[in-house]
Every structure is written in C-alpha cells, then in structure tokens.
C-alpha cells in the first residue's frame, strides 16, 4: 500500500525540521518519552545487527552535577590545557570548502548573539553553554566499545540521526555535541561507563526556547556559497 500524503509529509517534516538547538526551555521531558525515542532509534541498521550504541541518560541532579564538574575544569585554563580528545572529530588541516562552512556557521551564530571577534570572554561563555546542555532538561551521552571499528561508527551516525528525528516526531529538539569530547574522563567516570567504552559524543534534548535569539531563525545554509565574512579564525562552537 502506498503511504498517504500525510505520512510522507510527517516523515519529511521530522527530518527537515531537525536543526541544532542551542537554547531550551526547562520543560520536563518524561522518562517514557526518552525511552520511546531510544527504542525507535535503536531500529537503526547496523552491520550484522551489532547495534554498537550505548546511551547514558542524564537529568536533574545528576545532569547538573556533571555540568558543574565539566565547567570547573573548563573555566580553569591550566586544567583545561591538560585535556585532550580521545579521537579526532575534525581534520587537523582544514581545507575549502569545509573551513568556509565552519567559519560561516560560527560567525553566523556569534553574529546572532552579538558576540564580536575580539570578545573572548563572551565566546568562552557561549562555548561553555554546551556543558549546561544549553539548559535542556535531558542530556545524553553516547559511547561505543573500543573493540568496534570504523564500520560501527557509520552505524552510530545512523542511530544518532534516528534519535534526533524521533525527537522531532514528538515535538522535541536536539543538539548533538562533540564539545564534550575533551572531558571524556570526567563524563565516563560520572556515568559509570566501563573502561572498555569510549565517548562518541553528547546530545541535548528538550523543548526549544522559541524566544531565544539563537533559535529565532535558521542559521544554517546547506548550499554554502562564499563565506559571509572575510576569512578569519572561526569561533569555536564545539
Ligand atoms: C556529531 C555532531 C557534533 C556536533 N557538536 C556540536 C557541539 O558540540 N556544539 C554545537 O553547538 N553544535 C554541534 N553540532 C551541530 C552542528 O554545528 C550542526 O549540525 C551544523 O552546523 C548544521 O546545522 P543544523 O544541525 O542546525 O542543521 C554537532 C553536530 C554533529 C553532527
């Protein structure tokens, strides 16, 4: 049977309305909703059905305690400089067109927030909002067993997208976050993950704050043309 136009529209809308939200309302998301989202997402395909994902769900006091632990280090330049990521999410040498897109998204966001190129304190504070999960009521930490190989990371990406789309189907928004990678020791210890697992990324989940300036309009442009601003070191989003 062919799907109805409504079904097509609903699936398309769940996919196309997904964008990274960086300001959430405190509105609670129930445990049942989180479990539903993860159950739906776990139908993502994986090589020989290995399902390589592990998810740690944080809310309330536990989420707040993790934010505090991370921010204590993030706000201490010496402690921060001693940390490193466990895997390279980004290239070590940037080339066009990727560097241009990276610069554009960074400057677009900071432009919306009125953060100037020299305003290091506000940049630091904005990047630090990652560690508060942008005020979302739910934080997700995703890990993978270290024995799993590159193929499983492909599977993982499909799972992550499925989480984000299933969230949209329920009127919720997300922000996937590699900003957490530097703090993998703190995070894995906090959630009680075994040493056999490594951190893939984090994610904020909740209801968008429609009044927040950084979510008032789409800042992304997929068909990225020339960078909106002259080449300059982009501010870090993550
Ligand atoms: C795996 C992954 C990690 C990301 N990490 C961060 C992050 O740490 N902080 C952040 O603000 N955005 C993060 N993003 C969001 C990207 O900046 C965003 O997806 C991109 O600019 C496209 O915009 P859109 O998601 O709104 O479509 C991440 C995205 C992905 C896929």
């Amino acid at each position: 049977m062919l799907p109805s136009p409504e079904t097509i529209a609903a699936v398309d809308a769940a996919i196309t309305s997904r964008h990274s939200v960086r300001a959430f309302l405190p509105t609670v998301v129930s445990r049942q909703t989180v479990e539903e989202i993860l159950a739906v997402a776990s139908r993502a395909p994986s090589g020989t059905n290995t399902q390589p994902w592990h998810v740690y769900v944080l809310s309330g006091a536990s989420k707040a305690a993790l934010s505090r632990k991370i921010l204590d280090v993030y706000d201490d330049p010496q402690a921060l400089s001693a940390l490193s990521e466990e895997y390279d999410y980004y290239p070590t040498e940037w080339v066009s067109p990727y560097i241009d897109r990276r610069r554009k998204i960074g400057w677009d966001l900071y432009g919306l927030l009125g953060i100037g190129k020299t305003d290091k304190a506000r940049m630091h504070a904005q990047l630090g909002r990652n560690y508060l999960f942008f005020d979302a009521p739910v934080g997700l930490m995703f890990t993978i067993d270290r024995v799993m190989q590159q193929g499983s990371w492909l599977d993982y990406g499909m799972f992550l997208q499925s989480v984000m789309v299933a969230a949209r189907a329920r009127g919720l928004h997300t922000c996937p976050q590699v900003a957490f990678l530097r703090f993998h020791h703190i995070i894995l210890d906090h959630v009680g993950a075994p040493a056999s697992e490594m951190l893939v990324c984090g994610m904020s989940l909740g209801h968008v704050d429609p009044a927040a300036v950084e979510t008032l309009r789409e800042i992304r442009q997929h068909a990225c043309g020339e960078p909106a601003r002259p080449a300059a070191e982009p501010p870090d989003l993550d």
Side-chain angles (χ1 to χ4, degrees):
M1 196 176 78
L2 286 177
S4 69
E6 290 77 20
T7 302
I8 295 171
V11 173
D12 287 356
I15 295 170
T16 58
S17 67
R18 185 218 56 79
H19 62 279
S20 297
V21 161
R22 298 183 181 86
F24 291 86
L25 296 172
T27 315
V28 170
V29 175
S30 73
R31 183 188 173 113
Q32 190 193 336
T33 300
V34 177
E35 285 179 355
E36 269 177 33
I37 290 169
L38 296 177
V40 169
S42 70
R43 301 301 299 267
S46 56
T48 61
N49 199 26
T50 40
Q51 303 178 42
W53 36 79
H54 296 275
V55 188
Y56 297 87
V57 181
L58 294 152
S59 65
S62 174
K63 182 175 73 70
L66 178 60
S67 292
R68 193 64 271 146
K69 286 181 198 173
I70 293 174
L71 284 167
D72 281 350
V73 176
Y74 177 67
D75 290 333
D76 176 346
Q78 211 180 341
L80 186 62
S81 68
L83 299 184
S84 60
E85 298 169 356
E86 239 194 319
Y87 73 93
D88 289 329
Y89 181 80
Y90 290 115
T92 41
E93 272 182 48
W94 284 93
V95 296
S96 278
Y98 314 109
I99 183 64
D100 311 319
R101 293 174 184 158
R102 175 173 163 79
R103 283 183 175 131
K104 176 161 171 41
I105 188 75
W107 288 124
D108 279 358
L109 177 65
Y110 282 63
L112 281 179
L113 291 163
I115 300 175
K117 276 183 203 166
T118 55
D119 200 343
K120 299 286 181 209
R122 284 194 65 203
M123 284 186 190
H124 180 83
Q126 177 57 29
L127 179 54
R129 301 244 324 122
N130 273 283
Y131 309 122
L132 293 166
F133 298 91
F134 302 109
D135 300 326
V138 177
L140 304 171
M141 288 296 164
F142 299 93
T143 68
I144 189 167
D145 273 293
R146 292 171 190 282
V147 294
M148 303 310 269
Q149 298 293 331
Q150 264 177 308
S152 296
W153 289 73
L154 285 184
D155 304 340
Y156 221 115
M158 295 182 230
F159 172 70
L160 292 171
Q161 169 76 344
S162 298
V163 170
M164 295 187 273
V165 172
R168 285 306 300 125
R170 289 159 179 78
L172 299 170
H173 276 94
T174 52
C175 186
Q177 292 167 270
V178 288
F180 286 108
L181 294 184
R182 266 192 293 184
F183 305 94
H184 60 97
H185 282 303
I186 297 173
I187 293 164
L188 295 178
D189 179 65
H190 185 81
V191 300
S196 54
E197 291 176 18
M198 71 185 277
L199 185 67
V200 174
C201 67
M203 188 181 289
S204 299
L205 170 71
H207 296 268
V208 64
D209 179 353
V213 69
E214 62 269 46
T215 51
L216 272 180
R217 62 184 163 107
E218 285 278 348
I219 56 172
R220 176 187 49 153
Q221 250 189 328
H222 270 303
C224 192
E226 287 300 302
R229 299 190 187 213
E233 272 315 296
D236 287 326
L237 294 186
D238 49 52

